[in-house]
Amino acid sequence: MSTAPTTPATALPTPVWRQFHALTKPRVIQLIVFCALIGMVLAVPGVPSWQQVQLAAIASFGIWLVAGAAAAFNCVVEQQIDAKMRRTAWRPTAKGELSNVQTLSFSAVLCALGSAILYFLVNPLTMWLTFATFVGYAVIYTVILKPLTPQNIVIGGASGAMPPVLGWAAMTGVVSPEALILFLIIFLWTPPHFWALALYRVEDYRKSGLPMLPVTHGSDFTRLQILLYTFVLFAACLMPFVMRMSGWFYLAVAVVLSIGFSGYAFALWRDYSDALARKTFRFSLIHLSLLFAALLIDHYLP
């Protein structure tokens, strides 16, 4: 009994809207907006009014748009690099699903719309700080620093540390010392978080030609830097309590999380494995998320 020849099933093309959505790096944007929202909440004493809730929602949307624009611009600049790395080869720009003109136009629209919302519906300071963050990430970090120096993530981390400052400015119209403490925590958290990823993705970065620290200085040096940064980060995480931004609940959570991060870093320094580097990277995400969640909860405790 004969059977008709079968043809291999062809994968359905990704819908265009999903391709554009992927350009915004949704997981990264969620963390950015979350950190900005924490800055907004901490800037308002007590329970916010309905008007303040509306302002926070508008500011979050504006920040989301500009952050998405920066992510899309980054995809254009790094499309050749992304195509060489397993972690990023799926991006629409790397696969050639979206052209540079389409991606840049999308980025420009998001940036213009987000900036207009922040300028007219929030305040000019928040708009200019957010736009400066866009330039810092999309141009200074992506175009200049990333291919130039292994300290790219340290210097460029300033852009990634801005969300709480943006949130604080959105609600108060100023940048206070408390906002700068939140900035410092994320700034010091970024290198050990990213270098843990770079350790188990080192071959990808070597093929890409980017001078990431594990490529230029080796695994041992990178692991030592991760450990030292977690110690400094530990001290920074205590500052909200020392400066009376938070109370004992936050302090307890911060100490437990910081001991955990330092413990992972110490184990990674003593005996490296890709599996442990992955666990360290994942825990770093848990560390920052729960740390800021603790700040939020503590803010409303009596």
Side-chain angles (χ1 to χ4, degrees):
M1 180 177 177
S2 63
T3 57
T6 58
T7 56
T10 57
L12 294 176
T14 306
V16 174
W17 72 268
R18 284 187 179 275
Q19 295 174 19
F20 280 112
H21 183 247
L23 291 177
T24 64
K25 302 181 181 179
R27 290 184 182 179
V28 176
I29 299 302
Q30 287 172 9
L31 187 58
I32 289 173
V33 174
F34 173 70
C35 292
L37 187 61
I38 296 299
M40 295 176 199
V41 172
L42 296 181
V44 177
V47 179
S49 65
W50 175 241
Q51 184 178 9
Q52 289 171 327
V53 170
Q54 289 178 306
L55 179 61
I58 293 169
S60 295
F61 183 56
I63 292 169
W64 182 88
L65 289 171
V66 179
F73 187 89
N74 171 269
C75 287
V76 172
V77 175
E78 297 194 335
Q79 60 180 312
Q80 300 301 323
I81 294 172
D82 287 345
K84 298 176 183 177
M85 300 175 63
R86 287 178 297 171
R87 186 174 67 91
T88 55
W90 59 270
R91 288 176 180 165
T93 43
K95 293 169 65 177
E97 294 176 330
L98 293 175
S99 68
N100 289 351
V101 172
Q102 288 175 306
T103 305
L104 288 174
S105 299
F106 177 66
S107 176
V109 169
L110 290 186
C111 186
L113 182 58
S115 296
I117 288 172
L118 294 174
Y119 187 91
F120 293 107
L121 301 181
V122 182
N123 59 60
L125 175 62
T126 305
M127 187 281 288
W128 286 116
L129 288 174
T130 306
F131 183 72
T133 303
F134 172 93
V135 174
Y137 174 74
V139 179
I140 296 176
Y141 168 67
T142 303
V143 178
I144 301 174
L145 292 175
K146 197 169 183 178
L148 184 66
T149 170
Q151 292 299 309
N152 46 30
I153 198 64
V154 177
I155 306 168
S159 296
M162 282 297 290
V165 178
L166 305 180
W168 199 286
M171 303 306 292
T172 65
V174 298
V175 176
S176 70
E178 292 87 350
L180 295 179
I181 289 175
L182 301 179
F183 169 91
L184 180 64
I185 289 173
I186 301 179
F187 180 75
L188 293 173
W189 169 88
T190 302
H193 158 75
F194 190 84
W195 285 333
L197 168 70
L199 278 171
Y200 69 85
R201 295 287 190 181
V202 64
E203 291 307 318
D204 271 354
Y205 284 114
R206 186 171 283 115
K207 282 189 263 183
S208 73
L210 292 173
M212 293 303 176
L213 197 64
V215 176
T216 60
H217 289 70
S219 175
D220 290 348
F221 182 82
T222 302
R223 283 148 49 202
L224 177 61
Q225 294 302 304
I226 290 173
L227 179 62
L228 296 177
Y229 262 93
T230 59
F231 291 159
V232 179
L233 175 63
F234 196 146
C237 289
L238 302 180
M239 290 185 68
F241 177 79
V242 174
M243 298 298 293
R244 298 185 179 180
M245 289 174 59
S246 62
W248 292 100
F249 174 79
Y250 167 77
L251 178 64
V253 174
V255 168
V256 170
L257 289 173
S258 297
I259 290 174
F261 200 178
S262 298
Y264 270 106
F266 182 77
L268 194 66
W269 174 65
R270 287 292 301 273
D271 187 17
Y272 177 79
S273 71
D274 283 353
L276 185 55
R278 285 189 179 91
K279 289 180 181 179
T280 305
F281 172 75
R282 290 169 185 157
F283 185 83
S284 70
L285 292 170
I286 295 171
H287 174 276
L288 187 66
S289 299
L290 293 185
L291 189 80
F292 274 69
L295 276 171
L296 176 62
I297 294 171
D298 191 278
H299 184 65
Y300 293 109
L301 290 178

